[in-house]
Amino acid sequence: MSLDEAPKTEFPIPAGVFAQTVTSVEHYTDRLFKFRITRPSTFRFRSGEFVMIGLPNAEKPVFRAYSVASPSWDEELEFYSIKVPDGPLTEHLQKIKVGDTVLMRKKPTGTLVNDALLPGKRLWMFSTGTGIAPFASLIRDPETYEKFDQVILTHTCREVGELEYGKQLVKALKEDPLVGEMAQNLRHYCTVTREDYPFQGRITDLMASGKVFEDLGVPQISPETDRGMICGSMEMLKDTKTALEGFGLEEGANNKPATFVVERAFVD
């Protein structure tokens, strides 16, 4: 069967969607996992965008927004997901295995793209939990390093084990033949809120106290040099947006690039 040929499923594949095959699944904790699927030959997206994902397990499948965690040049598509016990989609999605079918709507979209930011010296990526997914795409894209001299990926989770996906990703990236040399300009700043860890606390508190800048040895955020991207929970989006505005940054969009952008697609 070719990669673009529709697999046989219990329910018919809806019109206007890709039906793709799961190629790998990795569980990190009892709450987090990643999976990879085949990429349709006609599918194009910009690193940082998201798509609507579903399963062929009903006449009218449930679709949810998922950032593509792989970069735009990858031959497969990677996704990073939370497990929700009674979630309409994740209850079933967390049980997928290699060879299973995943549905994907054909149109990618999103605000966390390089085009939505004005040129700058330093790019800050602020993430909590699975909000690291769009940045997993962007830090593997050469364009990100061509546009910014330094990239700082912050990732805040409740527990230390939830940092593992990002840690593995950055470690592999530094040794990657395509972007490894560029990625030497990437800093990965992890913090934890509910367990002991060398770096603790919410990123907004660490910005307010100045500790994050001290830890990284970089100046306080300034609209002249710094750009920001935010992806996480509703509370985190609101607080981080307020913090960046306090530093003088302005929110942008695809049609009006500015100094920071926010992804709101994943907030219930």
Side-chain angles (χ1 to χ4, degrees), residues 59-265:
E59 289 288 345
K60 291 187 176 179
V62 172
F63 283 87
R64 290 288 184 268
Y66 271 80
S67 286
V68 183
S70 45
S72 59
W73 53 263
D74 203 322
E75 293 178 357
E76 293 184 337
L77 300 175
E78 181 176 302
F79 300 94
Y80 185 48
S81 178
I82 194 167
K83 305 175 187 180
V84 181
D86 53 356
L89 176 60
T90 59
E91 176 188 1
H92 307 288
L93 191 64
Q94 65 184 282
K95 298 169 186 170
I96 59 171
K97 297 180 178 65
V98 172
D100 286 353
T101 300
V102 169
L103 305 179
M104 183 177 80
R105 287 193 177 145
K106 295 186 175 183
K107 183 173 171 51
T109 188
T111 57
L112 300 181
V113 292
N114 285 316
D115 294 345
L117 291 175
L118 296 170
K121 178 181 178 182
R122 189 178 297 109
L123 173 60
W124 291 82
M125 299 172 168
F126 298 101
S127 66
T128 54
T130 54
I132 194 175
F135 304 136
S137 175
L138 284 158
I139 64 172
R140 289 186 268 190
D141 192 321
E143 183 191 344
T144 303
Y145 303 100
E146 289 163 3
K147 190 163 183 176
F148 299 96
D149 296 337
Q150 187 176 45
V151 178
I152 299 173
L153 169 62
T154 81
H155 190 205
T156 300
C157 294
R158 294 185 295 184
E159 299 166 3
V160 176
E162 297 173 346
L163 299 171
E164 191 59 30
Y165 172 75
K167 287 183 173 181
Q168 286 183 11
L169 176 71
V170 171
K171 183 176 185 295
L173 179 65
K174 301 267 183 163
E175 299 160 5
D176 184 89
L178 178 66
V179 290
E181 191 173 335
M182 294 177 168
Q184 302 310 312
N185 294 328
L186 170 69
R187 306 286 299 277
H188 186 204
Y189 186 78
C190 301
T191 72
V192 168
T193 58
R194 295 192 184 176
E195 289 185 338
D196 287 337
Y197 194 68
F199 301 98
Q200 288 183 287
R202 298 166 68 214
I203 193 64
T204 44
D205 292 337
L206 296 168
M207 281 195 280
S209 69
K211 187 174 189 308
V212 60
F213 310 120
E214 184 182 326
D215 288 341
L216 291 167
V218 297
Q220 180 176 287
I221 290 173
S222 156
E224 282 73 44
T225 54
D226 296 87
R227 304 293 175 257
M229 292 180 165
I230 312 171
C231 192
S233 66
M234 173 68 91
E235 184 184 12
M236 179 267 193
L237 297 184
K238 176 174 162 289
D239 292 349
T240 311
K241 171 180 155 71
T242 300
L244 293 189
E245 288 174 339
F247 289 121
L249 274 62
E250 296 181 2
E251 185 173 357
N254 277 291
N255 59 355
K256 191 186 176 186
T259 47
F260 79 91
V261 284
V262 182
E263 186 55 81
R264 297 180 174 85

